[in-house]
Amino acid sequence: MAACTLNFVLIASAFFSFTGAIIPYKTAYFEQNLDHFNFVQVETFKQRYIYTDQYWNGNGPIFFYTGNEGPIPGFWDNSGFVFEAAEKFNALVIFGEHRYYGESMPFGSSSFDHDKVGYLTVEQALADFAVLVTGLKIQFKATQSKVVAFGGSYGGMLSAYMRFKYPNVIDVALAASAPIYMVTFKGIEREFFFSAVTEIPHLLGWIRNSFTSLAMGDYPYPTTFLAPLPGYPVNVACKMMATASSKLQGLADVTAMVYNGTNGTLTCLDPDTEYIECADPTGCGLGPDSRAWDYQACTEVALPAGSNNKTDMFPVLPWTLDMITKYCQEKWGVAQRPGWAATQLWGKDIASASNIIFSNGDLDPWRPGGVLEDVSPTLVTVLVKGGAHHLDLRASNPLDPATVTQARKQELELIQKFIQ
Amino acid sequence: MAACTLNFVLIASAFFSFTGAIIPYKTAYFEQNLDHFNFVQVETFKQRYIYTDQYWNGNGPIFFYTGNEGPIPGFWDNSGFVFEAAEKFNALVIFGEHRYYGESMPFGSSSFDHDKVGYLTVEQALADFAVLVTGLKIQFKATQSKVVAFGGSYGGMLSAYMRFKYPNVIDVALAASAPIYMVTFKGIEREFFFSAVTEIPHLLGWIRNSFTSLAMGDYPYPTTFLAPLPGYPVNVACKMMATASSKLQGLADVTAMVYNGTNGTLTCLDPDTEYIECADPTGCGLGPDSRAWDYQACTEVALPAGSNNKTDMFPVLPWTLDMITKYCQEKWGVAQRPGWAATQLWGKDIASASNIIFSNGDLDPWRPGGVLEDVSPTLVTVLVKGGAHHLDLRASNPLDPATVTQARKQELELIQKFIQ
């Protein structure tokens, strides 16, 4: 889900660009147990959360964003729908940062040392959120308030998982573009995966990744969420290919658009820094957030296989289970545990959960891993025709297609219904 | 829940006595990850499980007992109802041993060292069971089989928790005499707790504990589950008190009945070895299982306050939160985490769970902490009038009151209904 420079650009997006009004936030820190599942381990760390009470009437619900793989302000700035909804519900809005991302580093710059990185798991992150919300309900004198979790992509998975594991804490979840089946499905195909072996696959991965970012970020207006892109960048890319002097030049133009961006100032591109290979086939960036994501992809967040040129348009980039095992062992000294994620996070057996809205856009490459059909009257889906990666979570925009406006309306109605 | 010599006697019961037919079992071991929530920790240990396929037709359900605080054969020998049900359902019966009990010691005799005991938590135990069941379903070629969890007392809590946390693995749970509200309720009263400070409170605790065992083990026929006791031992105790030469002699006779047992050979009683104080106000025995239970009572399994001579007939034995904190810090170097168990294990907010049968006997002192009223059509209660501590889990007996026979019938019907 990293799609190359996600974390990088998230940081940038907080400063440079934003669609919709900028919502000011307050920053605070919550003392968390480093290991929720081991009482001998008594160390703690400070988890960042950001919030606003500008919509809150003291009795309304709490809207809690389950932070994902990046500094939390980036998600704040790209999830304007949460604030529009908060205004309607008079809600207190809190965004919790995921441990090992942003400022929530348990051991500062040494957080990724071998003896320290092991506290980065989905379970610890979910427990953080459960303890944080429980604590903040007391702090904000809101113990009677219902709590709605919001999240997009991996954050959407976490929102759904909160309803799975902590329905006593979270009453309703909007899981936007959350490919829970792809990540935890027992039968996941892992035959093909990108290669970190030779230079030519790296170059191909670098190009392939630009298309991934284009598809995920195919929003109707300019954004900087995944990369600084124009509105409907896939259309722009198609035009570039059609009008280029050669197919190779067209490919170069499109790739450059992603890596150089609409505000690009680079005089040349550098695949070695712009596409950092890792256990996520869509690549990782640089910096601590990317390292955290790489570790998660090496442990519980099993990502889809690479391209095979049969079911996709990309060159064959094999990344076998043996290869990823070797990579993760050498890089982190860890191995995935076959079947664990499916057992712990329910795989496809999610029918006993309730009050979750799964939304997916049909332009989103992650969609096939999502929940696309209603499972029960309280486990429902919202399909956003013409929508890219969790477009519905973004602020309303004059350029929005009617489908996403309708989807948001439907989501508000479902939240209203489930909250009662 | 230990009620003094529970673990001790569980071991004994496997050898000495049994109500109902003795069911032979096979023993096997499953390789478990020591820390399910930390991928850097690569150590494993062998978890014991015992099973029988004598009722199984290859297509029936799996009946899985979620082992509690003692060696697993003790629960096998005292849960005859599981086999009677297995015969009706053509079920495969598996009893999983709880980590740090019986033979499932991750580090052998050093398992309780400070740096090793931290892997003993409810969450790790639940994950063990989830991974074990998932693995055994493959091993027994039963991936399509439904799984019914059975458990009594703390084991019943674990059965319910499996439905809370792993409904993808466990389809139905029978949680017998499971005081989940007492252990995880946020508002738990901790003002009174037994005292380990002076000798006189120890003597009183020793006597008080004999009454606890009498009440928990007030079965209609002789058993050795909690202690070697006659049928309806509370009635026997009352007669002893009424016919004794003095009240003190009567008290001594009753206490001796529990500690010396119906097969007693002791020439004198010794409160110092027969009642071992620990973080559980009903006391702990000796040996590794009692140490494990003491550690659990110091961490997640918060047990009720001691006696206060106002709401009970026992002497005042104060055990304040300060005292238990001091005890647990000195003994184990750990502290309870306020609110954690209620957050992690849902406190009283259990309505989103399903397919759980909570049974309680009205003679059982743990009953007030149990789920006593139906929460939903799939979260139902069975009350056993005249029943002691999970009497319904025991094998049918000619001396059974009609109420428990009726309760078991009701449980079978509910299992049948929920399994579909």
Side-chain angles (χ1 to χ4, degrees):
Chain A
M1 264 157 273
C4 185
T5 50
L6 170 62
N7 304 314
F8 246 18
V9 179
L10 280 174
I11 302 169
S13 71
F15 298 101
F16 295 130
S17 167
F18 181 65
T19 304
I22 291 174
I23 311 293
Y25 56 76
K26 297 170 192 163
T27 302
Y29 300 85
F30 187 89
E31 185 136 350
Q32 283 286 1
N33 284 305
L34 176 65
D35 193 339
H36 293 286
F37 312 114
N38 187 325
F39 283 67
V40 168
Q41 174 53 268
V42 295
E43 289 196 56
T44 60
F45 75 99
K46 291 197 186 309
Q47 179 179 25
R48 175 165 61 163
Y49 63 96
I50 60 180
Y51 67 99
T52 181
D53 54 8
Q54 72 177 83
Y55 310 107
W56 202 40
N57 63 0
N59 296 312
I62 296 171
F63 286 0
F64 182 77
Y65 187 94
T66 51
N68 34 315
E69 72 277 26
I72 196 65
F75 301 106
W76 180 280
D77 289 344
N78 285 279
S79 307
F81 174 60
V82 177
F83 306 101
E84 296 172 10
E87 197 162 9
K88 288 190 167 50
F89 282 83
N90 301 308
L92 174 65
V93 180
I94 304 169
F95 277 51
E97 191 164 65
H98 192 299
R99 60 166 59 194
Y100 286 81
Y101 292 94
E103 294 183 4
S104 300
M105 292 291 172
F107 300 95
S109 59
S110 60
S111 294
F112 297 95
D113 291 359
H114 185 68
D115 62 330
K116 298 185 176 68
V117 72
Y119 303 103
L120 170 56
T121 61
V122 172
E123 294 74 34
Q124 299 280 9
L126 296 176
D128 286 344
F129 291 147
V131 170
L132 175 64
V133 169
T134 304
L136 294 185
K137 283 179 88 165
I138 295 167
Q139 189 176 311
F140 282 100
K141 298 184 174 54
T143 51
Q144 299 307 309
S145 291
K146 299 280 186 178
V147 183
V148 183
F150 291 80
S153 198
Y154 170 53
M157 292 164 55
L158 296 174
S159 288
Y161 296 156
M162 287 303 288
R163 275 298 298 170
F164 290 7
K165 297 289 185 177
Y166 298 96
N168 54 320
V169 176
I170 299 296
D171 298 285
V172 181
L174 172 57
S177 297
I180 61 165
Y181 290 158
M182 193 178 288
V183 171
T184 63
F185 182 41
K186 296 168 192 180
I188 190 166
E189 272 290 338
R190 296 193 131 277
E191 272 188 290
F192 296 97
F193 225 79
F194 87 104
S195 171
V197 181
T198 66
E199 198 177 348
I200 287 176
H202 179 96
L203 187 70
L204 294 174
W206 173 74
I207 296 169
R208 182 185 64 179
N209 184 53
S210 67
F211 282 86
T212 306
S213 296
L214 284 178
M216 286 170 70
D218 196 24
Y219 300 123
Y221 42 82
T223 62
T224 63
F225 183 58
L226 298 165
L229 292 175
Y232 284 125
V234 170
N235 289 356
V236 175
C238 287
K239 275 180 206 151
M240 277 182 176
M241 290 294 282
T243 58
S245 56
S246 71
K247 281 182 182 170
L248 197 61
Q249 183 60 45
L251 192 61
D253 292 346
V254 169
T255 303
M257 176 172 71
V258 172
Y259 291 112
N260 209 359
T262 46
N263 57 0
T265 51
L266 301 175
T267 51
C268 68
L269 301 177
D270 179 6
D272 285 336
T273 59
E274 287 152 10
Y275 175 67
I276 311 295
E277 283 147 342
C278 69
D280 177 349
T282 64
C284 289
L286 294 165
D289 293 313
S290 299
R291 290 168 73 184
W293 187 244
D294 186 30
Y295 180 81
Q296 291 202 264
C298 270
T299 49
E300 288 175 297
V301 189
L303 289 154
S307 48
N308 56 30
N309 201 234
K310 288 176 190 159
T311 56
D312 57 60
M313 66 179 183
F314 297 110
V316 176
L317 293 177
W319 189 233
T320 63
L321 185 54
D322 279 352
M323 288 164 81
I324 192 171
T325 301
K326 188 166 179 290
Y327 170 84
C328 295
Q329 194 60 53
E330 284 176 3
K331 179 78 173 286
W332 295 105
V334 298
Q336 292 190 345
R337 294 174 180 172
W340 166 249
T343 299
Q344 176 68 15
L345 302 169
W346 300 15
K348 285 211 163 184
D349 299 324
I350 67 168
S352 54
S354 62
N355 293 0
I356 307 177
I357 307 156
F358 292 100
S359 66
N360 282 283
D362 68 350
L363 297 185
D364 183 7
W366 292 100
R367 185 179 53 83
V371 179
L372 304 175
E373 288 179 9
D374 290 5
V375 177
S376 75
T378 62
L379 220 52
V380 299
T381 54
V382 171
L383 294 179
V384 188
K385 201 150 186 291
H389 203 44
H390 48 76
L391 172 62
D392 50 329
L393 271 194
R394 302 186 66 84
S396 297
N397 187 291
L399 296 175
D400 276 335
T403 48
V404 74
T405 308
Q406 175 57 29
R408 291 192 190 111
K409 186 164 170 284
Q410 198 183 341
E411 288 165 2
L412 289 173
E413 288 166 2
L414 287 165
I415 290 170
Q416 180 69 50
K417 182 179 157 193
F418 291 157
I419 217 170
Q420 278 159 355
Chain B
M1 263 159 274
C4 184
T5 50
L6 171 62
N7 305 316
F8 246 16
V9 179
L10 281 174
I11 301 169
S13 71
F15 297 102
F16 294 132
S17 168
F18 180 67
T19 304
I22 290 175
I23 311 294
Y25 56 76
K26 297 170 192 164
T27 301
Y29 299 85
F30 187 88
E31 185 137 349
Q32 283 287 1
N33 285 305
L34 176 64
D35 193 340
H36 293 285
F37 311 115
N38 187 326
F39 282 67
V40 168
Q41 174 54 268
V42 295
E43 289 195 57
T44 60
F45 74 98
K46 291 198 187 308
Q47 178 179 25
R48 175 167 59 162
Y49 63 96
I50 60 180
Y51 67 97
T52 180
D53 54 8
Q54 71 176 79
Y55 310 107
W56 202 40
N57 63 1
N59 296 312
I62 296 170
F63 285 0
F64 181 78
Y65 187 95
T66 51
N68 33 316
E69 72 278 24
I72 197 65
F75 301 107
W76 180 280
D77 288 344
N78 284 279
S79 306
F81 174 60
V82 177
F83 306 101
E84 296 172 9
E87 196 162 11
K88 288 190 167 50
F89 283 83
N90 301 309
L92 175 65
V93 180
I94 304 169
F95 277 51
E97 191 164 67
H98 192 299
R99 60 166 60 194
Y100 286 81
Y101 291 95
E103 294 183 4
S104 299
M105 292 291 172
F107 301 95
S109 59
S110 61
S111 293
F112 297 96
D113 291 358
H114 185 69
D115 62 330
K116 298 186 176 67
V117 72
Y119 303 103
L120 170 55
T121 61
V122 172
E123 294 74 35
Q124 299 280 8
L126 296 175
D128 286 343
F129 291 147
V131 170
L132 174 64
V133 169
T134 304
L136 294 185
K137 282 179 87 165
I138 296 166
Q139 188 176 312
F140 282 100
K141 297 185 174 55
T143 52
Q144 300 308 308
S145 290
K146 299 280 185 179
V147 183
V148 183
F150 292 79
S153 197
Y154 171 53
M157 292 165 55
L158 297 174
S159 289
Y161 296 156
M162 287 303 288
R163 274 298 297 169
F164 289 6
K165 299 288 186 177
Y166 298 96
N168 54 320
V169 176
I170 299 296
D171 299 284
V172 181
L174 172 57
S177 298
I180 61 166
Y181 289 158
M182 194 179 289
V183 171
T184 63
F185 181 40
K186 295 169 192 180
I188 189 167
E189 271 291 336
R190 296 191 131 277
E191 273 189 289
F192 296 96
F193 225 78
F194 87 103
S195 171
V197 181
T198 66
E199 197 177 346
I200 288 175
H202 180 96
L203 187 70
L204 294 174
W206 173 74
I207 295 170
R208 182 185 64 180
N209 184 54
S210 66
F211 281 86
T212 306
S213 296
L214 285 178
M216 286 170 71
D218 195 25
Y219 301 122
Y221 42 81
T223 62
T224 62
F225 183 56
L226 298 166
L229 292 175
Y232 284 124
V234 170
N235 289 357
V236 175
C238 287
K239 272 179 208 154
M240 278 183 174
M241 290 295 281
T243 59
S245 55
S246 70
K247 282 181 182 170
L248 197 62
Q249 182 61 45
L251 192 61
D253 290 347
V254 169
T255 304
M257 176 172 72
V258 172
Y259 291 113
N260 208 0
T262 45
N263 57 359
T265 51
L266 301 176
T267 50
C268 67
L269 302 177
D270 178 6
D272 285 337
T273 57
E274 287 152 11
Y275 174 66
I276 311 295
E277 283 146 343
C278 70
D280 177 348
T282 64
C284 288
L286 293 165
D289 293 313
S290 299
R291 291 168 72 184
W293 186 245
D294 187 29
Y295 180 82
Q296 291 203 263
C298 270
T299 51
E300 289 174 296
V301 188
L303 289 155
S307 49
N308 56 29
N309 201 235
K310 287 175 191 160
T311 55
D312 57 59
M313 65 178 184
F314 297 110
V316 177
L317 294 176
W319 188 233
T320 64
L321 184 55
D322 280 352
M323 289 164 81
I324 192 171
T325 301
K326 187 165 179 290
Y327 171 83
C328 294
Q329 195 60 53
E330 284 176 4
K331 180 77 174 285
W332 294 105
V334 298
Q336 292 190 346
R337 294 176 180 171
W340 166 250
T343 299
Q344 175 67 15
L345 302 170
W346 301 14
K348 284 212 163 184
D349 299 324
I350 67 167
S352 55
S354 62
N355 293 0
I356 307 178
I357 307 157
F358 292 100
S359 66
N360 283 283
D362 68 351
L363 297 185
D364 183 6
W366 291 100
R367 184 180 53 84
V371 180
L372 303 176
E373 287 178 9
D374 289 7
V375 177
S376 75
T378 61
L379 220 52
V380 299
T381 53
V382 171
L383 295 178
V384 187
K385 202 153 185 293
H389 203 45
H390 49 76
L391 171 63
D392 49 328
L393 271 193
R394 303 185 65 84
S396 297
N397 187 291
L399 295 176
D400 277 334
T403 48
V404 74
T405 307
Q406 175 56 29
R408 292 192 189 111
K409 187 164 169 285
Q410 199 182 340
E411 288 165 2
L412 289 173
E413 287 165 4
L414 287 166
I415 290 169
Q416 179 68 50
K417 183 179 156 192
F418 291 157
I419 216 170
Q420 278 160 354

